[in-house]
């Protein structure tokens, strides 16, 4: 990992010597123009100087899977990414969640923003299910297996998520899990002031005790993160306050501003790296988001609020929770839950050994949904009774 970190840091230095990073906030259009018109040497064989040649070698060594399939150059990636949109990855077994979410966005929250659904090859999402999803307006269906060199990335399961962000048709992306249940407009995430500055937005995972088997995780991280970014240095995982830092049920990325970080998140989810190292040390893709930004020396943005059973915006406005409206997404999605209140994690709460139940102390009272939230939940459940996304399966 030290060798990879050194390559990523070198890549960042060469990138920033070539494309002025200060322009990302002072003049994004000019920065975008630099990426479009002065990056051709990265995939060519004509160099104006030794620096360009070195940059090209490092870039293509790190991201061997990036070109030669959907994209032939960095310019292709930039040109194919426009506007804002929502990205959801789903196999057949989660289509019920996705249909319910799109229905909520279109008919209850009144969101017309384009949505791109990614799947991984013909066996992942049937033609029948693709046609079901296409029935909604402004929904696009894309096969991630056609974008990159699968001999290297071999995308599967959680690993699809960062690659879907990179491959999406949008410049500004809200990636959400199929079972992320929104009762508020997700587009509010684009208004977060730190997102506007850094081009990234992440949410905290539960605060989980550092058990003996997790101590090795922190030792591993500190073995190659030599000079952590301020946000890493102040994180719970770095300070042994939680064995897990981020969760990735919702991730927001501005692909132009945060491209360096995103590329390295994808790097960490390559087949060999994830199977032999990353996923053995952390749980799936979720920690690779902050880790990818850290290793490429890109500051990142984490909503500072305590983890709730439901996630909130920076101003504590309730936004979404994981697991949708069903009682248990793993065992029986036909049983719809009853939603009356939610709990905020604090120093008087702790998670069960399986991390699925929050235990309360001292007769703590829950936070009640406000009238607007109750109405939205009621309308979603009402449409479920009508459309039977879950109860008909």
């Amino acid at each position: 990992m030290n060798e990879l970190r050194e390559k990523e840091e070198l890549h960042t230095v060469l990138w920033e010597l070539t494309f002025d990073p200060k322009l990302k906030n002072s003049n994004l259009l000019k920065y975008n123009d630099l990426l479009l018109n002065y990056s051709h040497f990265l995939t060519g064989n004509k160099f104006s100087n030794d620096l360009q040649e070195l940059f090209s070698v490092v870039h293509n060594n790190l991201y061997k899977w990036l070109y030669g399939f959907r994209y032939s150059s960095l310019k292709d990636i930039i040109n194919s990414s426009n506007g804002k949109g929502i990205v959801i990855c789903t196999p057949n077994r989660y289509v019920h969640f996705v249909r319910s979410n799109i229905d909520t966005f279109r008919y209850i929250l009144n969101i017309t923003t384009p949505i791109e659904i990614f799947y991984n090859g013909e066996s992942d999402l049937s033609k029948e299910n693709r046609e079901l999803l296409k029935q909604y307006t402004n929904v696009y269906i894309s096969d991630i297996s056609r974008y990159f060199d699968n001999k290297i990335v071999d995308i599967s399961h959680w690993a699809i998520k960062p690659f879907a962000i990179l491959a999406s048709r949008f410049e500004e992306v809200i990636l959400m899990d199929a079972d992320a249940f929104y009762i508020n407009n997700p587009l509010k995430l684009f208004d977060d002031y730190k997102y506007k500055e850094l081009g990234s937005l992440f949410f905290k995972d539960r605060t989980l005790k550092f058990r003996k088997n997790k101590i090795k995780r922190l030792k591993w991280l500190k073995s190659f993160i030599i000079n952590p970014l301020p946000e890493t240095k102040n994180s719970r995982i770095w300070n042994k306050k939680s064995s897990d830092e981020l969760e990735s049920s919702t991730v927001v990325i501005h692909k132009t501003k945060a491209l360096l970080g995103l590329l390295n998140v994808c790097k960490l989810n390559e087949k060999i790296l994830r199977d032999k190292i990353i996923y053995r040390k952390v749980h799936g893709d979720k920690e690779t988001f902050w880790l990818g930004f850290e290793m490429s020396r890109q500051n990142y943005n984490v909503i500072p609020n305590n983890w709730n059973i439901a996630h909130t915006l920076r101003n504590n406005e309730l936004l979404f929770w994981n697991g949708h409206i069903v009682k248990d997404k793993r065992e029986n999605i036909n049983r719809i839950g009853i939603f009356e209140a939610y709990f905020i994690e604090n120093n008087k709460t702790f998670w069960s050994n399986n991390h699925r139940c929050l235990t309360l102390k001292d007769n703590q009272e829950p936070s009640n949904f406000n009238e607007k939230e109750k109405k939205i939940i009621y309308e979603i459940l009402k449409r479920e009774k009508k459309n039977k996304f879950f109860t008909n399966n």
Side-chain angles (χ1 to χ4, degrees), residues 212-229:
K212 287 183 178 180
N213 62 328
K214 297 294 177 68
I215 297 295
K216 291 181 180 179
R217 176 179 296 178
L218 184 57
K219 288 182 178 179
W220 171 71
L221 289 168
K222 291 192 174 184
S223 71
F224 63 89
I225 300 176
I226 308 302
N227 181 29
L229 295 169

Side-chain angles (χ1 to χ4, degrees), residues 194-201 252-255 257-258 293:
K194 289 294 284 185
Y195 166 76
K196 289 182 177 180
E197 176 189 347
L198 299 175
S200 63
L201 186 153
V252 191
I253 296 290
H254 190 302
K255 284 161 61 177
K257 284 188 175 184
F293 277 69

Side-chain angles (χ1 to χ4, degrees), residues 232-333:
T232 300
K233 200 170 184 178
N234 293 325
S235 67
R236 295 168 303 157
I237 194 169
W238 195 259
N239 291 285
K240 208 175 176 181
K241 293 180 179 179
S242 176
S243 63
D244 297 61
E245 188 61 30
L246 298 186
E247 65 109 356
S248 59
S249 66
T250 290
V251 168
V252 191
I253 296 290
H254 190 302
K255 284 161 61 177
T256 305
K257 284 188 175 184
L259 186 56
L260 273 174
L262 176 59
L263 284 172
N264 196 40
V265 177
C266 291
K267 177 71 180 179
L268 296 177
N269 284 275
E270 287 179 9
K271 172 68 173 175
I272 292 178
L273 264 175
R274 71 176 187 261
D275 285 357
K276 292 191 174 182
I277 302 175
I278 306 299
Y279 287 18
R280 292 186 179 187
K281 300 294 185 179
V282 298
H283 184 66
D285 66 295
K286 61 194 187 75
E287 307 296 353
T288 66
F289 282 93
W290 72 264
L291 188 54
F293 277 69
E294 168 64 51
M295 292 178 69
S296 53
R297 310 304 293 164
Q298 301 298 295
N299 293 101
Y300 56 92
N301 167 35
V302 181
I303 295 293
N305 306 359
N306 284 345
W307 197 94
N308 303 337
I309 299 298
H311 284 293
T312 60
L313 296 168
R314 194 178 294 272
N315 64 2
N316 291 314
E317 187 178 353
L318 192 59
L319 189 63
F320 76 98
W321 64 75
N322 303 329
H324 219 272
I325 59 172
V326 298
K327 284 191 174 182
D328 192 331
K329 69 176 183 179
R330 295 175 177 85
E331 296 178 6
N332 190 345
I333 66 169

Side-chain angles (χ1 to χ4, degrees), residues 1 6 12 16 44 73 86 91 108 118 125 149 162 174 176 181 186 205 211 233 258 278 322 333 365:
M1 291 298 290
E6 289 170 357
T12 296
E16 294 183 346
S73 65
I86 295 168
I108 298 175
F118 276 94
L125 188 65
D149 187 347
I174 298 174
M176 59 180 67
F181 180 70
D205 200 349
R211 301 184 188 280
K233 200 170 184 178
I278 306 299
N322 303 329
I333 66 169
E365 292 296 323

